[in-house]
Amino acid sequence: MTTITIIADNSVSEMRPKGLVAEWGFAAIVDDVLFDTGQTGAAVENARRLRGDATFETIVLSHGHYDHTGGLPPFLAVDEAQTVYAHPDAFEPKFKEDTHIGLPYTRGRIESDATVVEHTAPVEVAPGIHALGEIPREHPDNAMGETIRDGERVADPILDDQALAVETDEGLVLVLGCGHAGVRNTVERADAVFDAPLTAIIGGTHLVGSEPDEVVEITEWLDGRVDTLATSHCTGVDNEEIVRDNFSGTFERAGVGATLEF
C-alpha cells in the first residue's frame, strides 16, 4: 500500500490531531519520501503531529520557489544521511517583480547537511517512487516570474518544475507540487515514461490564474483519464469548484492532514 499525506497546504483538512497548521505552500509525504517542505517550519511540525517524527532519508523538491523549499532546514537537522533531489534550475534566483521568490538557501547550505543530486531525467528515488525530471512543454504551461541568465533578468520558464510518479497496484499516481509545467504536459510526460495507466493526480495544479473556460477544458481532458483528483495549494478555491463540477470521478480537496491510500 502507498500512503500519501499532505503536511503543508493553504488549508487544513482534518480536525485531528490537534494543532495542524496551514500556510501558503505545499509538502507531502509519499511513503517514506518527503516531497517539498512548505514555506516555514509548519510542515515539520505537522509531520511530527501526524506520524510522530519528521525524519526522511530522501527529499525531492518540485521546484525552487520559497513556498515549496523554505521549510527545508528543519527536515535536515537530523543525524542521518539524507539525499535531496532537484532540477539544477531549482537553485537559480527567481523573482516576481522586486521580490525574490526562489529557494531561500544556497546549494552550499543544503550540502552542509545532505547530499544534493541534480537531475533533469526521471530518477527512481525510492522503490516505485520516481522524480519525473524536466517536463517537455507541448501545451500551455504556468510559468511565472523572472530569473537571471547571463547577467540579465529574463522570463523564468521554471524548467525545474517536476512531479513525483508513484507506482501502485491501482496504477500510476502523480503528485504535483505546483504544476508550473502544466497538468497536461505532466500527464503526457508520465505516459511517455511509464507503461502504466494513470489513476490519480494529487497536489497543486496552478490553475489559480486560469480563466474558468480553461479550467473546464483541462478538467474535461482529465475526465476519463484518471479516477481521482485531489487538488491542493495553487489550484484556487473558485477553480476547485469548477473542477469538482466537471469531473465525474472522485474529487477531494487535499489540505493538511489529508491522507490518500492506494
Side-chain angles (χ1 to χ4, degrees):
M1 179 183 296
T2 296
T3 301
I4 300 170
T5 303
I6 309 301
I7 59 169
D9 184 64
N10 313 345
S11 65
V12 174
S13 286
E14 301 297 327
M15 294 177 62
R16 300 287 187 273
K18 294 180 179 179
L20 295 176
V21 176
E23 67 175 6
W24 178 267
F26 183 78
I29 301 168
V30 182
D31 286 342
D32 291 321
V33 173
L34 176 64
F35 184 53
D36 284 347
T37 68
Q39 180 182 160
T40 69
V44 75
E45 294 302 324
N46 288 334
R48 288 171 180 150
R49 287 183 169 88
L50 287 162
R51 57 179 265 161
D53 71 83
T55 301
F56 301 92
E57 294 181 3
T58 302
I59 301 171
V60 180
L61 301 180
S62 68
H63 64 299
H65 283 159
Y66 75 100
D67 50 334
H68 296 255
T69 61
L72 187 55
F75 286 106
L76 298 179
V78 297
D79 294 326
E80 291 191 15
Q82 294 175 289
T83 303
V84 175
Y85 292 86
H87 186 285
D89 283 8
F91 301 97
E92 296 299 316
K94 297 178 182 293
F95 300 91
K96 186 174 182 181
E97 298 175 350
D98 294 328
T99 302
H100 183 258
I101 60 171
L103 200 158
Y105 318 105
T106 64
R107 174 174 174 154
R109 163 66 182 86
I110 298 170
E111 285 181 323
S112 67
D113 289 319
T115 299
V116 173
V117 176
E118 291 185 346
H119 68 103
T120 58
V123 58
E124 189 171 27
V125 300
I129 302 176
H130 307 260
L132 200 52
E134 189 171 314
I135 298 169
R137 314 258 177 118
E138 296 185 10
H139 308 286
D141 60 12
N142 301 301
M144 60 170 284
E146 297 178 316
T147 187
I148 304 295
R149 292 282 189 270
D150 299 322
E152 296 184 2
R153 281 179 63 154
V154 297
D156 185 4
I158 318 181
L159 297 179
D160 40 319
D161 183 79
Q162 65 172 332
L164 283 189
V166 187
E167 298 176 276
T168 77
D169 292 339
E170 298 177 33
L172 200 68
V173 175
L174 285 181
V175 187
L176 281 61
C178 220
H180 285 290
V183 174
R184 183 170 181 176
N185 291 322
T186 304
V187 168
E188 291 190 351
R189 178 58 172 164
D191 285 342
V193 173
F194 299 96
D195 184 20
L198 180 62
T199 189
I201 297 175
I202 300 165
T205 62
H206 217 279
L207 294 174
V208 65
S210 300
E211 295 297 324
D213 60 336
E214 296 173 318
V215 180
V216 170
E217 181 181 0
I218 189 63
T219 304
E220 290 180 345
W221 184 83
L222 290 171
D223 201 22
R225 283 180 169 82
V226 296
D227 301 319
T228 300
L229 285 176
T231 58
S232 301
H233 182 39
C234 51
T235 303
V237 175
D238 292 339
N239 285 342
E240 282 178 333
E241 291 303 312
I242 296 174
V243 173
R244 184 192 301 271
D245 292 342
N246 289 274
F247 185 68
S248 64
T250 300
F251 176 84
E252 179 175 342
R253 179 47 178 91
V256 174
T259 298
L260 298 96
E261 296 180 337
F262 299 88

